[in-house]
Amino acid sequence: MTDDFMIRAALAGLGVALAAAPLGCFVVWRRMAYFGDATSHAAILGVALALATDLPVFGGVLLVAVAMALLLTSLTGRGISSDALLGVMAHAALALGLVAVSLIQGVRVDLMGYLVGDILAVSQADLAVIWTGAALVLGLLFWRWSSLLAATLSPDLAQAAGVSPKREELVLTLALSITVAVAIKVVGALLIAALLIIPAAAARPLARTPEGMAAVAMFIGGASALGGLIVSFALDTPTGPTIVSLAALVFALTRGMGAARA
């Protein structure tokens, strides 16, 4: 069944979308869009690390994404505005990654594939990594859902109830890093943050509860992945950008519906 490249591509897109959408809800609620950008841009540095040390690309990206996320968490609030810090780190990580990849000798690198994704080249091994990572992220979010939600809505009340906001932030950091690592093959480092944020933002006007928003975001993310794959195949356009463009179109439609109701 998975010998057909379109089926592999569809399963890969669906796996990434289902993991990214509920996590993206927390990114939206916590206003962590720039945080997601910085972590995803560091993925290129992870690719360079993997190529230089013969690590699997997933391992290199995961290591660098976790390191970047922890560094950002530790530096936030230390005399520099969060927006400025995240902007500097995001662009510095991307630039360093591109320079590092160019310096690696004897290895041919499809840099565009890592920047915007190459979902049509997903192998069975890639598929196993993507769905294992997606299962880990979904399991982590399901296990910590109540605590994550409490720490997101009111850190002070969560602390009073025995929930450590710092610990929950680390859980989100780990989930975000895993998602970046599995998504780089599908949508690339430049578009991972978009796949996290857009389905969640599109779901917001359609849901009344946090759980409802996560469920609607998963539906929008999955539909965008499958629809984008079909449109890309029909029009011969880049698949990762097409998926994100379709999700953006859904966002515009749902925001229009929300404005009409108001």
Short mmCIF file of all heavy atoms in Angstrom, two decimals, residues 38-68:
data_model
loop_
_atom_site.label_atom_id
_atom_site.label_comp_id
_atom_site.label_asym_id
_atom_site.label_seq_id
_atom_site.Cartn_x
_atom_site.Cartn_y
_atom_site.Cartn_z
N ALA A 38 11.45 30.64 15.68
CA ALA A 38 12.86 30.49 16.05
C ALA A 38 13.25 29.03 16.14
O ALA A 38 14.32 28.62 15.66
CB ALA A 38 13.13 31.19 17.38
N THR A 39 12.39 28.22 16.73
CA THR A 39 12.69 26.79 16.87
C THR A 39 12.72 26.10 15.51
O THR A 39 13.60 25.27 15.23
CB THR A 39 11.63 26.11 17.76
OG1 THR A 39 11.53 26.82 19.00
CG2 THR A 39 12.00 24.67 18.06
N SER A 40 11.79 26.45 14.63
CA SER A 40 11.75 25.81 13.31
C SER A 40 12.92 26.25 12.43
O SER A 40 13.48 25.45 11.69
CB SER A 40 10.42 26.10 12.62
OG SER A 40 10.22 27.49 12.43
N HIS A 41 13.31 27.52 12.52
CA HIS A 41 14.44 27.99 11.72
C HIS A 41 15.75 27.32 12.15
O HIS A 41 16.66 27.16 11.34
CB HIS A 41 14.57 29.51 11.84
CG HIS A 41 13.54 30.24 11.05
ND1 HIS A 41 13.47 31.62 11.02
CD2 HIS A 41 12.52 29.81 10.29
CE1 HIS A 41 12.45 31.99 10.25
NE2 HIS A 41 11.86 30.90 9.80
N ALA A 42 15.81 26.92 13.42
CA ALA A 42 17.00 26.22 13.89
C ALA A 42 17.12 24.84 13.27
O ALA A 42 18.19 24.21 13.37
CB ALA A 42 16.97 26.11 15.42
N ALA A 43 16.05 24.36 12.64
CA ALA A 43 16.07 23.03 12.04
C ALA A 43 17.18 22.90 10.99
O ALA A 43 17.78 21.82 10.85
CB ALA A 43 14.72 22.72 11.41
N ILE A 44 17.46 23.97 10.25
CA ILE A 44 18.51 23.90 9.23
C ILE A 44 19.87 23.67 9.87
O ILE A 44 20.72 22.95 9.34
CB ILE A 44 18.52 25.19 8.37
CG1 ILE A 44 17.22 25.30 7.59
CG2 ILE A 44 19.70 25.20 7.42
CD1 ILE A 44 17.00 24.17 6.59
N LEU A 45 20.09 24.28 11.04
CA LEU A 45 21.33 24.03 11.78
C LEU A 45 21.38 22.56 12.20
O LEU A 45 22.45 21.93 12.21
CB LEU A 45 21.39 24.95 13.00
CG LEU A 45 22.74 25.17 13.68
CD1 LEU A 45 23.78 25.64 12.69
CD2 LEU A 45 22.59 26.16 14.82
N GLY A 46 20.23 22.00 12.55
CA GLY A 46 20.15 20.58 12.90
C GLY A 46 20.46 19.69 11.71
O GLY A 46 21.09 18.63 11.86
N VAL A 47 20.02 20.09 10.53
CA VAL A 47 20.34 19.34 9.31
C VAL A 47 21.86 19.32 9.09
O VAL A 47 22.44 18.28 8.78
CB VAL A 47 19.63 19.96 8.08
CG1 VAL A 47 20.14 19.33 6.79
CG2 VAL A 47 18.12 19.77 8.20
N ALA A 48 22.49 20.49 9.27
CA ALA A 48 23.95 20.57 9.11
C ALA A 48 24.65 19.67 10.13
O ALA A 48 25.61 18.96 9.78
CB ALA A 48 24.41 22.02 9.28
N LEU A 49 24.18 19.66 11.36
CA LEU A 49 24.76 18.80 12.40
C LEU A 49 24.63 17.33 12.01
O LEU A 49 25.58 16.55 12.14
CB LEU A 49 24.06 19.05 13.74
CG LEU A 49 24.45 18.12 14.89
CD1 LEU A 49 25.90 18.33 15.28
CD2 LEU A 49 23.54 18.36 16.10
N ALA A 50 23.45 16.96 11.52
CA ALA A 50 23.22 15.57 11.13
C ALA A 50 24.14 15.15 9.98
O ALA A 50 24.73 14.07 10.00
CB ALA A 50 21.76 15.39 10.73
N LEU A 51 24.28 16.01 8.98
CA LEU A 51 25.13 15.68 7.83
C LEU A 51 26.61 15.61 8.21
O LEU A 51 27.36 14.79 7.67
CB LEU A 51 24.92 16.70 6.72
CG LEU A 51 23.53 16.74 6.09
CD1 LEU A 51 23.42 17.90 5.10
CD2 LEU A 51 23.21 15.42 5.39
N ALA A 52 27.02 16.47 9.14
CA ALA A 52 28.43 16.51 9.53
C ALA A 52 28.82 15.34 10.44
O ALA A 52 29.99 14.96 10.50
CB ALA A 52 28.73 17.83 10.24
N THR A 53 27.85 14.77 11.15
CA THR A 53 28.16 13.72 12.14
C THR A 53 27.54 12.37 11.79
O THR A 53 27.62 11.44 12.60
CB THR A 53 27.65 14.15 13.53
OG1 THR A 53 26.23 14.37 13.46
CG2 THR A 53 28.33 15.42 13.99
N ASP A 54 26.93 12.27 10.60
CA ASP A 54 26.28 11.02 10.17
C ASP A 54 25.11 10.61 11.07
O ASP A 54 24.76 9.42 11.13
CB ASP A 54 27.29 9.87 10.09
CG ASP A 54 28.29 10.06 8.96
OD1 ASP A 54 27.90 10.64 7.94
OD2 ASP A 54 29.45 9.64 9.11
N LEU A 55 24.53 11.57 11.76
CA LEU A 55 23.30 11.31 12.51
C LEU A 55 22.12 11.27 11.54
O LEU A 55 22.18 11.86 10.46
CB LEU A 55 23.04 12.44 13.52
CG LEU A 55 23.75 12.41 14.87
CD1 LEU A 55 23.47 13.73 15.59
CD2 LEU A 55 23.29 11.25 15.72
N PRO A 56 21.02 10.59 11.91
CA PRO A 56 19.79 10.75 11.12
C PRO A 56 19.35 12.21 11.17
O PRO A 56 19.56 12.89 12.19
CB PRO A 56 18.78 9.84 11.84
CG PRO A 56 19.60 8.91 12.66
CD PRO A 56 20.86 9.65 13.02
N VAL A 57 18.77 12.71 10.09
CA VAL A 57 18.33 14.11 10.05
C VAL A 57 17.36 14.39 11.20
O VAL A 57 17.44 15.44 11.84
CB VAL A 57 17.69 14.43 8.69
CG1 VAL A 57 17.02 15.80 8.73
CG2 VAL A 57 18.74 14.41 7.60
N PHE A 58 16.44 13.45 11.47
CA PHE A 58 15.51 13.65 12.58
C PHE A 58 16.24 13.88 13.89
O PHE A 58 15.90 14.78 14.66
CB PHE A 58 14.60 12.42 12.71
CG PHE A 58 13.73 12.42 13.95
CD1 PHE A 58 12.57 13.17 13.98
CD2 PHE A 58 14.09 11.70 15.07
CE1 PHE A 58 11.77 13.20 15.12
CE2 PHE A 58 13.30 11.71 16.21
CZ PHE A 58 12.14 12.46 16.23
N GLY A 59 17.30 13.09 14.16
CA GLY A 59 18.05 13.24 15.41
C GLY A 59 18.76 14.57 15.51
O GLY A 59 18.72 15.23 16.55
N GLY A 60 19.40 15.00 14.41
CA GLY A 60 20.10 16.28 14.43
C GLY A 60 19.16 17.44 14.62
O GLY A 60 19.43 18.35 15.42
N VAL A 61 18.03 17.43 13.90
CA VAL A 61 17.05 18.51 14.02
C VAL A 61 16.45 18.54 15.42
O VAL A 61 16.27 19.61 16.01
CB VAL A 61 15.95 18.36 12.95
CG1 VAL A 61 14.84 19.38 13.19
CG2 VAL A 61 16.54 18.55 11.56
N LEU A 62 16.14 17.36 15.96
CA LEU A 62 15.55 17.30 17.30
C LEU A 62 16.51 17.87 18.35
O LEU A 62 16.10 18.66 19.22
CB LEU A 62 15.18 15.86 17.65
CG LEU A 62 14.52 15.65 19.02
CD1 LEU A 62 13.22 16.43 19.13
CD2 LEU A 62 14.26 14.16 19.27
N LEU A 63 17.78 17.49 18.27
CA LEU A 63 18.77 17.98 19.24
C LEU A 63 18.88 19.50 19.19
O LEU A 63 18.86 20.18 20.24
CB LEU A 63 20.14 17.36 18.96
CG LEU A 63 20.33 15.90 19.39
CD1 LEU A 63 21.67 15.39 18.90
CD2 LEU A 63 20.25 15.78 20.91
N VAL A 64 18.99 20.06 17.99
CA VAL A 64 19.16 21.51 17.86
C VAL A 64 17.87 22.24 18.22
O VAL A 64 17.91 23.30 18.85
CB VAL A 64 19.61 21.86 16.43
CG1 VAL A 64 19.60 23.37 16.22
CG2 VAL A 64 21.00 21.32 16.17
N ALA A 65 16.71 21.68 17.86
CA ALA A 65 15.44 22.32 18.19
C ALA A 65 15.23 22.38 19.70
O ALA A 65 14.79 23.40 20.24
CB ALA A 65 14.28 21.58 17.52
N VAL A 66 15.55 21.27 20.39
CA VAL A 66 15.44 21.27 21.86
C VAL A 66 16.40 22.29 22.47
O VAL A 66 16.04 23.05 23.37
CB VAL A 66 15.72 19.86 22.42
CG1 VAL A 66 15.86 19.90 23.94
CG2 VAL A 66 14.60 18.90 22.04
N ALA A 67 17.66 22.30 21.98
CA ALA A 67 18.65 23.25 22.50
C ALA A 67 18.20 24.69 22.28
O ALA A 67 18.31 25.53 23.18
CB ALA A 67 20.00 23.00 21.84
N MET A 68 17.67 24.99 21.09
CA MET A 68 17.21 26.34 20.79
C MET A 68 16.03 26.72 21.68
O MET A 68 15.99 27.83 22.23
CB MET A 68 16.81 26.44 19.32
CG MET A 68 16.15 27.76 18.93
SD MET A 68 17.21 29.21 19.14
CE MET A 68 18.28 29.04 17.71
#
